[in-house]
Amino acid sequence: MSKMHIKLTVNGKQEELLAEPRELLIHVLRERLSITGPHIGCETSHCGACTVDMNGKSVKSCTVLAAQANGAEITTIEGLGTPEAPHPVQQAFVDHAGGQCGYCLNGMIIAVAGLLNRSAVPSEADIREALRHHLCRCGAHVEILAAARAAAGLTRGEPA
Amino acid sequence: MIPAPFEYHRPDSVEAAVKLLSDFGDNARVVAGGHSLIPMMKLRMTDFGHLIDLQAISTLKGICIEGRRISIGAMTTQHEIIHHAGLASIAPILREAARQIADPQVRYMGTLGGNVANGDPGNDMPGVMQCLDATFHLSGPGGTREVKAREFYEAAYFTARAEDEILTGVSFDAPAGGQAYMKQKRKIGDYATAAAAVVIAMSGGRCTAASIAMTNLSDTPVWCEAAGAALAGTDLSAAAVEAAVGAMDDAIDPQSDNRGPAEFKRHAAAVVLRRAIEAAAARA
C-alpha cells in the first residue's frame, strides 16, 4: 500500500513524513515524531488520554487518521510549557496535586488549555463538560477539577 | 489497533467524490468525521480498499436558514450545530440532541451527515430527523434525489442510499410548537438505552399536533404516527399521555443486550417519552 506525504505543524514546528494512510495520528506523533505526551489509554475513543489540540479543537488522536490530519496544526502538552517555565494550567495541576499516577493528565491538561483558549472565563459547568469524559482510574477528579478551576481563575466550584 | 490498509482520497467536490465512489464500487467508503467509521476500521469490523474523505468539500458544510426552512450540510459538525444561535432559536431540539451525543471531543469531529447516513440504530439524529419530517439529499452518478427521513432507514446499517451515492445534506421546516429530546444512557458518551424526540403544538391548552420518534429501540429509528395521533386533540391528560406511550410500546422492538433486557428498555422508553412529552408541552 503506497505511503502518503504528510505535513503537520506540531507545537509550532513544521514536520514532513511519509506514512501509510491507515496510521493514526497518535501513532505518528508518538512513534515517528517521538512526541510521547499524548498517551494511548483505551485506544477506543473513550478515555481522553490521547487528546491533542487540532486546529483549535480538542480531539482524540487515536480516532483521527494521520491522513485526515494532513495539513493541520497540532498542539500537544509538549507545546504548552517546560519544567522551568510551565504553562499556567500545568502549574495549577502541580499546585493542586491534580492527579496521582499521572497517566491521564496530559490529556486533561491539554483539554483544559484548549478550553481556556476558546473561553477566557469558563464556568464550572464548562470545565465539567470539557473534562467529564476524561477518565482518571486513580479517582483524582476532585483534585483535577480544583486545578482546572484555579487555572480558569475560579476560586471555588459551584455544583454543576 | 490499526486499520487494515487502504488508499486515501480527499476530493474537493461532490462530483469528484461521486466519481471515486463509482470507480471503486463497494470497495470504497466515504468518511465524514470518522468517529463511527474509524473505530469500526480499527476493530477490523469493516475493510475496504479506498477511503474517500469529504473534509475538503466546502459545499457540504454550513447551516442555512431561509424563513422557516433549514438546510444543514452533511459535513456540519455536532459542535457547529450546538453553537449556531439561529438554529437554536427556531429548532432547539437539534442543540438538545447534539449535546447528548458522545462527548465534546467527538462532537468537534462528528457530523450530522455521518450520524444520519451511517444507519446505526444507536445514532440520535435519525430519530430527530424523522420527528421533524426532514428530507435527506443524495448525490449520485445520475444526479441528485431526495428521500424522506421517515423512508430512509431499512434495517441496521441498511438505508435507501445507494452505494454510489453521497448524502450531501438535510432540510426541514422549523417545527411549530415545543420540542424535546430526552435520552437515557448508561454513562457519559454512551448510545441511548432509549431516547425520544417529541414536537408538540398547543393552542388554547389543547394539543393540535404531535410528532414522536424513538431512538435505539428497534433496528431503525421508529417514527410512531399513532403515538402522535393519540395526543392530538387532547389536553395532554394523563390518559392521553399513557395512550401515546402504549402506541409507542406497540411500535418498538427492543432487543436484550448489554444495555439491558428488552423489558427494561420498554420501561426506559416509556419514561423518556413521558418526560419528552412533558418538556415539549411546557415549551410549546
Side-chain angles (χ1 to χ4, degrees):
Chain A
M1 200 56 55
S2 58
K3 290 195 171 183
M4 280 182 67
H5 195 74
I6 289 182
K7 290 186 184 177
L8 298 169
T9 305
V10 185
N11 299 327
K13 185 180 168 202
Q14 301 271 346
E15 304 280 3
E16 295 192 32
L17 55 105
L18 285 173
E20 287 186 57
R22 64 173 171 162
E23 288 183 53
L24 299 164
L25 180 58
I26 183 75
H27 295 138
V28 165
L29 292 172
R30 290 180 58 86
E31 293 165 23
R32 294 182 176 271
L33 301 176
S34 298
I35 294 170
T36 55
H39 285 170
I40 297 174
C42 68
E43 231 186 329
T44 56
S45 337
H46 288 99
C47 78
C50 68
T51 300
V52 302
D53 196 279
M54 182 167 85
N55 297 330
K57 301 164 182 173
S58 292
V59 302
K60 301 176 200 253
S61 61
C62 80
T63 313
V64 175
L65 298 164
Q68 285 177 295
N70 192 10
E73 286 194 28
I74 309 289
T75 304
T76 70
I77 193 166
E78 286 90 341
L80 292 186
T82 64
E84 297 73 31
H87 184 277
V89 176
Q90 291 171 309
Q91 187 62 52
F93 273 73
V94 172
D95 294 344
H96 292 266
Q100 292 182 34
C101 84
Y103 197 85
C104 67
L105 280 195
N106 296 354
M108 298 268 190
I109 290 170
I110 199 81
V112 173
L115 173 67
L116 296 182
N117 278 340
R118 291 186 295 274
S119 169
V121 193
S123 65
E124 173 76 14
D126 293 335
I127 291 170
R128 284 174 180 253
E129 173 152 326
L131 290 181
R132 69 191 304 184
H133 58 286
H134 281 258
L135 303 182
C136 166
R137 285 308 189 213
C138 303
H141 289 282
V142 171
E143 289 77 14
I144 288 165
L145 286 171
R149 266 179 222 124
L154 298 179
T155 50
R156 67 185 182 86
E158 304 300 329
Chain B
M1 296 201 297
I2 299 171
F6 56 85
E7 295 283 352
Y8 176 84
H9 307 267
R10 196 189 283 189
D12 59 8
S13 70
V14 172
E15 293 71 28
V18 167
K19 173 77 165 55
L20 287 165
L21 265 184
S22 302
D23 290 348
F24 297 122
D26 64 3
N27 196 29
R29 285 290 302 270
V30 300
V31 65
H35 276 51
S36 296
L37 183 62
I38 293 172
M40 299 279 276
M41 293 163 67
K42 288 162 67 176
L43 294 167
R44 307 278 175 126
M45 290 168 72
T46 183
D47 188 4
F48 43 80
H50 297 269
L51 185 70
I52 303 167
D53 185 347
L54 303 181
Q55 69 166 285
I57 306 176
S58 56
T59 55
L60 294 181
K61 262 197 170 293
I63 298 168
C64 176
I65 301 175
E66 293 178 59
R68 302 290 294 174
R69 192 67 180 171
I70 299 166
S71 302
I72 306 179
M75 290 296 285
T76 306
T77 65
Q78 308 293 354
H79 174 84
E80 289 162 344
I81 286 171
I82 290 168
H83 291 276
H84 194 282
L87 183 65
S89 72
I90 62 170
I93 192 172
L94 272 290
R95 173 184 281 179
E96 186 170 36
R99 279 179 53 86
Q100 297 180 74
I101 293 172
D103 58 57
Q105 297 181 351
V106 172
R107 298 196 293 259
Y108 275 125
M109 297 295 290
T111 65
L112 178 63
N115 199 276
V116 300
N118 190 29
D120 184 336
N123 287 350
D124 293 288
M125 286 298 180
V128 174
M129 292 295 123
Q130 290 197 341
C131 179
L132 298 176
D133 196 18
T135 299
F136 293 170
H137 301 264
L138 302 168
S139 280
T144 62
R145 69 185 179 111
E146 298 177 349
V147 179
K148 301 296 282 182
R150 292 174 186 172
E151 293 160 8
F152 186 72
Y153 298 96
E154 297 168 351
Y157 301 102
F158 286 90
T159 68
R161 185 186 65 82
E163 275 180 353
D164 56 2
E165 286 181 314
I166 292 171
L167 189 148
T168 56
V170 309
S171 60
F172 54 91
D173 287 330
Q179 310 152 38
Y181 191 73
M182 295 286 160
K183 177 173 174 178
Q184 157 69 30
K185 54 191 177 183
R186 297 173 301 176
K187 67 173 193 58
I188 186 73
D190 194 18
Y191 292 101
T193 302
V198 174
V199 172
I200 289 180
M202 300 287 288
S203 177
R206 299 189 81 78
C207 170
T208 53
S211 178
I212 291 172
M214 308 298 292
T215 295
N216 217 12
L217 292 159
S218 185
D219 64 349
T220 64
V222 176
W223 178 65
C224 185
E225 189 172 11
L231 298 179
T234 76
D235 60 357
L236 300 182
S237 63
V241 171
E242 290 315 304
V245 168
M248 177 278 293
D249 189 70
D250 288 342
I252 62 174
D253 182 28
Q255 303 297 310
S256 299
D257 61 18
N258 58 358
R259 290 188 179 82
E263 295 78 4
F264 169 70
K265 293 184 176 184
R266 288 186 181 277
H267 172 76
V271 170
V272 294
L273 179 54
R274 287 189 200 104
R275 288 178 184 170
I277 290 170
E278 185 179 357
R283 297 166 183 172

